[in-house]
Amino acid sequence: MARKSERIQLTAAERRSLKTRFRSGNGSNRQQTRARILDLLDRNLPPPQIAETLSCAIGTVYNVKNRYLADGFEAALTDKPRSGRPAVIDGRQRAKITALACSPAPTGHARWTLRLLADRAVQLGFVSGISHNAVKEILKKTDSNRT
């Protein structure tokens, strides 16, 4: 025997919020897709048809539906905060390290090494401490060439 699923009925305020999101285009692609899923669920379309229409996985449709039923409208549209260590070096510090790498090498050296960059960044007070591998990752993301 098939299990009867619970139907989603959005309030008038939630429908207005969805229409505003659709018109303005604000939010990430994920939020737009989740909003469309909620809209189609409110129109009583079956989840397999919604998944096919929006070119997403059927699990996504069920996850949005379950999150709406459990936690409400905003929880269904937005991601939960992710765990993990926050970034220690911000964008301004990254920019300073990149600018340092683009500057002329110190006297006695033909070019900047990663260890020299890390030591100089600490000396100049850009960061309290940084490894040469962290400098490598910063420069790797900026497509800079130290030669």
Side-chain angles (χ1 to χ4, degrees), residues 16 24 46 62 73 75 85 93:
R16 276 194 308 273
S24 68
Y62 284 116
F73 181 71
R85 185 174 174 204
Q93 293 167 322

Side-chain angles (χ1 to χ4, degrees), residues 39-58:
D39 182 44
L40 294 174
L41 284 171
D42 185 50
R43 295 177 189 201
N44 208 18
L45 264 67
Q49 187 178 352
I50 295 172
E52 185 178 332
T53 302
L54 299 177
S55 299
C56 67
I58 193 166

Side-chain angles (χ1 to χ4, degrees), residues 91-111:
R92 185 169 297 203
Q93 293 167 322
R94 290 175 188 275
K96 287 180 180 180
I97 291 171
T98 304
L100 180 64
C102 294
S103 68
T107 55
H109 297 279
R111 68 181 78 145

Side-chain angles (χ1 to χ4, degrees), residues 18-29 31-32 36:
L18 287 180
K19 284 184 182 179
T20 304
R21 284 179 194 268
F22 295 152
R23 258 187 266 129
S24 68
N26 287 344
S28 66
N29 288 338
Q31 287 179 340
Q32 290 290 325
R36 292 186 197 295

Side-chain angles (χ1 to χ4, degrees), residues 1-12:
M1 186 174 199
R3 191 175 83 193
K4 179 108 171 142
S5 64
E6 199 171 338
R7 188 180 184 299
I8 285 185
Q9 283 195 315
L10 299 175
T11 65

